[in-house]
Coordinates of all heavy atoms in Angstrom, one line a residue:
G8 N 6.7 1.2 -4.6 CA 8.1 0.6 -4.9 C 8.1 -0.5 -5.9 O 9.2 -1.0 -6.2
G9 N 7.0 -1.0 -6.3 CA 7.0 -2.0 -7.3 C 7.5 -1.5 -8.7 O 7.7 -0.3 -8.9
G10 N 7.6 -2.5 -9.6 CA 8.1 -2.1 -10.9 C 8.5 -3.3 -11.7 O 8.3 -4.5 -11.3
S11 N 9.0 -3.0 -12.9 CA 9.5 -4.1 -13.8 C 11.0 -4.1 -13.8 O 11.6 -3.0 -14.1 CB 8.9 -3.8 -15.2 OG 7.5 -3.9 -15.2
V12 N 11.6 -5.2 -13.5 CA 13.1 -5.3 -13.5 C 13.5 -6.6 -14.2 O 12.6 -7.4 -14.6 CB 13.6 -5.4 -12.0 CG1 13.3 -4.0 -11.3 CG2 13.0 -6.5 -11.2
L18 N 14.7 -4.5 -5.8 CA 13.6 -3.6 -5.6 C 13.4 -3.4 -4.1 O 13.6 -4.4 -3.3 CB 12.3 -4.0 -6.2 CG 12.1 -3.9 -7.7 CD1 10.7 -4.5 -8.1 CD2 12.0 -2.4 -8.1
L20 N 10.3 -2.4 -1.6 CA 8.9 -2.0 -1.4 C 8.7 -1.3 -0.1 O 9.4 -1.6 0.9 CB 8.0 -3.3 -1.4 CG 8.2 -4.2 -2.7 CD1 7.2 -5.3 -2.6 CD2 8.0 -3.4 -4.0
M83 N 14.2 -6.5 -1.7 CA 14.3 -7.7 -2.5 C 15.5 -7.7 -3.4 O 15.5 -6.8 -4.3 CB 13.0 -7.9 -3.3 CG 11.7 -7.9 -2.4 SD 10.2 -8.3 -3.3 CE 10.1 -6.9 -4.5
L86 N 16.4 -10.9 -7.7 CA 15.0 -11.2 -8.1 C 15.0 -12.2 -9.2 O 15.9 -12.2 -10.1 CB 14.3 -10.0 -8.4 CG 13.8 -9.1 -7.2 CD1 13.4 -7.7 -7.7 CD2 12.6 -9.8 -6.5
K87 N 14.0 -13.1 -9.2 CA 13.8 -14.1 -10.2 C 12.5 -14.0 -10.8 O 11.6 -13.4 -10.2 CB 13.9 -15.5 -9.5 CG 15.2 -15.7 -8.7 CD 15.1 -17.1 -7.9 CE 16.3 -17.3 -7.1 NZ 16.2 -18.6 -6.3
P88 N 12.3 -14.5 -12.0 CA 11.0 -14.5 -12.6 C 9.9 -15.0 -11.8 O 8.7 -14.5 -11.8 CB 11.2 -15.3 -13.9 CG 12.6 -15.1 -14.2 CD 13.3 -15.1 -12.9
D90 N 9.4 -14.6 -8.8 CA 9.0 -13.6 -7.8 C 7.9 -12.6 -8.4 O 7.4 -11.8 -7.6 CB 10.2 -12.7 -7.4 CG 11.2 -13.6 -6.6 OD1 10.9 -14.4 -5.8 OD2 12.4 -13.4 -6.9
T91 N 7.7 -12.8 -9.6 CA 6.6 -11.9 -10.2 C 5.3 -12.1 -9.6 O 4.8 -13.3 -9.5 CB 6.6 -12.2 -11.8 OG1 7.8 -11.8 -12.4 CG2 5.4 -11.4 -12.4
A92 N 4.7 -11.0 -9.1 CA 3.4 -11.1 -8.4 C 3.0 -9.7 -8.0 O 3.8 -8.8 -8.1 CB 3.5 -12.0 -7.2
V93 N 1.7 -9.6 -7.6 CA 1.3 -8.4 -6.8 C 1.7 -8.6 -5.4 O 1.3 -9.7 -4.8 CB -0.2 -8.2 -7.0 CG1 -0.6 -6.9 -6.2 CG2 -0.6 -8.0 -8.5
Y94 N 2.4 -7.7 -4.8 CA 2.8 -7.8 -3.4 C 1.9 -6.9 -2.6 O 1.7 -5.7 -2.9 CB 4.3 -7.3 -3.3 CG 5.2 -8.4 -3.8 CD1 5.3 -8.7 -5.1 CD2 6.0 -9.1 -2.9 CE1 6.2 -9.7 -5.5 CE2 6.9 -10.1 -3.3 CZ 7.0 -10.4 -4.6 OH 7.8 -11.4 -5.0
T118 N 1.1 -3.8 -4.9 CA 2.0 -3.2 -5.9 C 2.6 -4.3 -6.7 O 3.0 -5.4 -6.2 CB 3.1 -2.4 -5.2 OG1 3.9 -1.7 -6.1 CG2 4.0 -3.2 -4.3
Q119 N 2.6 -4.1 -8.0 CA 3.0 -5.1 -9.0 C 4.6 -5.1 -9.1 O 5.2 -4.1 -9.2 CB 2.5 -4.8 -10.4 CG 2.9 -5.7 -11.5 CD 2.3 -7.1 -11.3 OE1 1.1 -7.3 -11.1 NE2 3.1 -8.2 -11.4
V120 N 5.1 -6.4 -9.0 CA 6.5 -6.6 -9.2 C 6.6 -7.6 -10.4 O 6.0 -8.7 -10.3 CB 7.2 -7.2 -8.0 CG1 8.6 -7.7 -8.3 CG2 7.2 -6.2 -6.9
T121 N 7.3 -7.2 -11.4 CA 7.5 -8.1 -12.6 C 9.0 -8.2 -12.8 O 9.7 -7.3 -13.0 CB 6.8 -7.4 -13.8 OG1 5.4 -7.2 -13.6 CG2 7.0 -8.3 -15.0
V122 N 9.4 -9.5 -12.9 CA 10.8 -9.8 -13.1 C 10.9 -10.6 -14.4 O 10.3 -11.7 -14.6 CB 11.4 -10.6 -12.0 CG1 12.9 -10.9 -12.2 CG2 11.1 -10.0 -10.6

Side-chain angles (χ1 to χ4, degrees):
S11 296
V12 296
L18 281 174
L20 307 183
M83 304 187 295
L86 283 162
K87 305 175 182 180
D90 295 317
T91 295
V93 178
Y94 283 70
T118 185
Q119 177 70 47
V120 171
T121 303
V122 185

